[in-house]
Amino acid sequence: MGEKKTNQLKDSGAAMPRRRFLQAGLAGSALAATGALGGAKSAAAAGLDIPDWSRQLGASVDDAPYGKPSHHESSVIRRSVEWLTATRESSVNFTPLYALEGFVTPNGICFERHHGGAADVDPVEHRLMIHGMVDRPLLFTMEDLLRLPRVSRFFFLECAANGGMEWRNAQLNGVQFTHGMIHCVQYTGVSLKLLLEEAGVSTKAKWLMVEGGDSAGMNRSVPIDKALDDCMVAFAMNGEKLRAEQGYPLRLVVPGFEGNMWVKWLRRIEVGDESWQAREETSKYTDLMPDGRARRFTWEMDCKSVITSPCPENPLTHKGPNVISGLAWSGRGNVKRVDVSLDGGKNWVEARIEGPVMPKCLTRFYLDGWEWDGSEVYMQSRAIDDTGYVQPQMTALQKVRGINSIYHNNAIQTWFVNKTGEVENVRLA
Ligand code: MTE
Ligand code: CO
C-alpha cells in the first residue's frame, strides 16, 4: 500500500475561520488561475468580454417541451459495467453520484435494476389485485388508486448488491460503480396500510407476496409488520409519474429495506400466514457467511456513507481550500453524524450536515475549506445513525461476514488522493 502521509486535521475546514478562507483561498486562486490581471489576451479567458450567447437570441420556448440537462452536462448519465452481467435486460446500471448535489436524484439518472427488462405497461389496462387472507379481495384500476388519500415521502432505494463487487478488494474505480446502485426521490402514492385495511387483512396474516407485471414477475415476500408500517404503493416520483424503468405505473416502496423488495410494475399482493415462512421468496437474497451458513431476512439496509467529491471521477485540481462532500444514509432511521478522516481512519473530524435529515433518506454532508497541501491523503467517511450504529471499516466487517457474500456491503470506503490530485479506490489492510 506504501507509506501513508497524514494531513493534519487541525488544518481542516471545521476549525478554519471564515475570513482566512476567503482571503487565502477563493479570491486569490480565481485570479491567478485565469491570469485576468496579466496579459491582454486574458480577457476572453477570464470571461470579461461579451460572448456569442449574449449577442444573439436564445432557443424558443417551443424547442424543448420536455427539458433536458444542458448539453454541456451530457456525460452525466447512468452507466453500466459491460462484463458484470450476461445480458443487457437482466442487468443493472449505476447512478452518477459524483455529479449530484443535495440529496435528490433526478428521475432520468436513477439507477435501474431489472431481471427481465423494463416492462412497458398500459396504465389503462393495469390492475392491482389484493387477495389471499383478506375479508374482501380487491381489484384496483389506476383511477381507483388516484381517488384515495395520498402521501408524499422522500426515501432512498439501495440494491442489496450495491458495493457487492468490492467485498474482496477494491475493484471499480469510480463512485458511480462502487456506490451507484442507490437513488433517492420523493414518492407519491397511497399507504399500503390503507389498502390492506380496505381489504380487511386476517389477524393470522404474517406475509405478503408481492408480484410485478414484468416478465420476471419478481415475486417477493414482505413481512406484514413492515407492510402495515411505512410501505407505500407509489405512482409518482419527484412530482411526475413514475418512469417506465422505475415501474410505471405502480411500484411498491419499502422504506429502508433492500431494493429487491420494491417490486416494480406492481400488479398483485397476496396475503398469507406463517406457513409461508418456508416459501422460497421469503429469503431470495441471502448472505453467505465464512462458515457456510447464510444470513436470511437481512432486509434492513445498514448505515453507510461515501465521499462523492473528491472521488475517482472528481480529482483535486487546486491546492488550498477544497470542499469535501458526500452522502450518508441508514435503513433504520436518521443519520445522526458523519465523520471524515484524512489519514485512513486514524483521526476523524465531524462533517457539516446540509439540508433536511429525514429517516431512510439520503443525507448530504460537507467538510468546507479543507486545505490540501498537495500531499497524499487516504480519505474516508463514516456515518452514525440514530440507533447509535457506527459504519464499520472493511477489515472489521470482513471478520464477521467473510468475503463470500455479494450483498450488504456497508463498509467505509477509502479514496487515495495522490500528489497530483488524482483519486483512486484503494483497500487499507
Ligand atoms: N421489480 C420487478 N418487477 N422486477 C425487477 O427486476 N428488481 C428489483 C426491484 N424491483 C425488480 C423489481 C431490484 S433487485 C432492485 S435493486 C430495484 O427494483 C431497483 O429499482 P430501480 O430500477 O428503480 O432502481
Ligand atoms: Co437489487
Side-chain angles (χ1 to χ4, degrees):
M1 180 89 287
E3 191 190 320
K4 273 182 255 164
K5 196 125 193 266
T6 308
N7 266 38
Q8 287 306 307
L9 283 169
K10 59 177 156 45
D11 283 349
S12 74
M16 190 186 302
R18 183 177 162 80
R19 205 149 46 93
R20 193 185 131 217
F21 175 70
L22 291 174
Q23 281 171 1
L26 291 186
S29 64
L31 292 174
T34 56
L37 301 180
K41 267 194 275 172
S42 59
L48 298 177
D49 65 348
I50 300 174
D52 283 352
W53 57 78
S54 302
R55 296 176 190 270
Q56 58 210 19
L57 293 175
S60 112
V61 293
D62 295 327
D63 280 9
Y66 195 103
K68 281 191 186 151
S70 161
H71 63 90
H72 299 289
E73 301 297 321
S74 61
S75 64
V76 180
I77 51 172
R78 297 185 279 226
R79 291 175 195 277
S80 61
V81 175
E82 221 180 320
W83 49 262
L84 202 58
T85 55
T87 70
R88 310 317 286 154
E89 291 79 21
S90 182
S91 192
V92 63
N93 59 29
F94 300 82
T95 304
L97 292 179
Y98 69 91
L100 300 186
E101 303 289 341
F103 67 92
V104 177
T105 316
N107 285 343
I109 46 177
C110 286
F111 88 94
E112 302 165 63
R113 169 78 177 107
H114 344 110
H115 294 69
D120 178 7
V121 176
D122 180 347
V124 178
E125 303 275 314
H126 190 69
R127 299 289 181 271
L128 172 65
M129 177 160 61
I130 301 185
H131 68 128
M133 296 179 64
V134 295
D135 300 335
R136 295 171 295 280
L138 296 172
L139 195 62
F140 294 94
T141 63
M142 289 306 296
E143 285 185 355
D144 293 335
L145 292 170
L146 288 165
R147 286 186 293 119
L148 294 170
R150 57 187 85 156
V151 285
S152 290
R153 302 273 152 78
F154 285 96
F155 294 117
F156 76 81
L157 179 166
E158 184 181 19
C159 180
N162 199 18
M165 292 79 81
E166 303 289 314
W167 266 113
R168 283 158 197 256
N169 218 327
Q171 180 151 227
L172 296 167
N173 211 28
V175 72
Q176 179 160 16
F177 304 109
T178 55
H179 290 76
M181 281 195 233
I182 190 164
H183 50 64
C184 183
V185 305
Q186 187 190 38
Y187 292 97
T188 300
V190 180
S191 122
L192 179 58
K193 183 176 186 215
L194 184 104
L195 297 179
L196 293 172
E197 281 171 356
E198 284 291 304
V201 177
S202 158
T203 52
K204 293 212 180 89
K206 279 274 150 32
W207 294 97
L208 304 187
M209 193 286 296
V210 287
E211 182 179 88
D214 53 337
S215 65
M218 200 68 192
N219 303 73
R220 286 292 181 269
S221 299
V222 178
I224 192 77
D225 293 347
K226 181 64 177 174
L228 294 173
D229 179 13
D230 56 359
C231 290
M232 286 167 69
V233 170
F235 47 78
M237 58 196 282
N238 288 335
E240 63 180 2
K241 293 283 160 60
L242 292 176
R243 291 291 169 94
E245 55 272 38
Q246 260 73 43
Y248 180 91
L250 207 60
R251 98 172 297 167
L252 190 65
V253 170
V254 193
F257 277 34
E258 62 189 25
N260 86 89
M261 299 164 84
W262 298 49
V263 168
K264 303 190 275 190
W265 311 288
L266 178 68
R267 73 166 173 204
R268 190 163 75 89
I269 299 176
E270 189 178 346
V271 181
D273 62 16
E274 63 184 18
S275 69
W276 282 20
Q277 181 87 1
R279 284 166 61 139
E280 196 229 349
E281 60 270 10
T282 51
S283 54
K284 271 259 157 59
Y285 283 22
T286 58
D287 310 336
L288 189 56
M289 302 280 282
D291 62 2
R293 290 182 306 152
R295 300 198 309 154
R296 295 206 304 169
F297 308 145
T298 49
W299 305 301
E300 272 181 312
M301 298 308 290
D302 296 311
C303 183
K304 190 168 169 183
S305 70
V306 67
I307 291 170
T308 56
S309 190
C311 67
E313 298 96 324
N314 290 324
L316 291 175
T317 53
H318 290 79
K319 289 181 191 169
N322 277 278
V323 169
I324 297 174
S325 175
L327 291 164
W329 60 97
S330 168
R332 296 196 173 82
N334 288 322
V335 170
K336 199 174 82 187
R337 201 179 91 205
V338 183
D339 299 327
V340 171
S341 174
L342 304 166
D343 56 9
K346 290 198 194 88
N347 296 286
W348 297 92
V349 61
E350 189 172 345
R352 173 175 67 85
I353 286 177
E354 166 68 33
V357 176
M358 292 185 282
K360 305 167 189 179
C361 180
L362 293 190
T363 301
R364 174 64 63 177
F365 67 86
Y366 290 103
L367 199 65
D368 307 299
W370 164 62
E371 289 279 340
W372 182 51
D373 61 6
S375 56
E376 296 178 343
V377 183
Y378 288 86
M379 209 176 268
Q380 300 184 332
S381 67
R382 166 178 85 179
I384 301 164
D385 70 15
D386 60 3
T387 69
Y389 176 94
V390 183
Q391 185 186 0
Q393 290 286 2
M394 184 45 120
T395 41
L397 193 64
Q398 281 179 343
K399 258 187 209 137
V400 184
R401 302 253 201 93
I403 51 167
N404 291 327
S405 177
I406 51 164
Y407 299 122
H408 298 284
N409 170 9
N410 71 317
I412 287 172
Q413 172 68 43
T414 309
W415 299 131
F416 171 64
V417 183
N418 73 15
K419 287 181 179 153
T420 54
E422 285 149 357
V423 182
E424 204 187 323
N425 175 12
V426 298
R427 181 63 48 86
L428 295 180

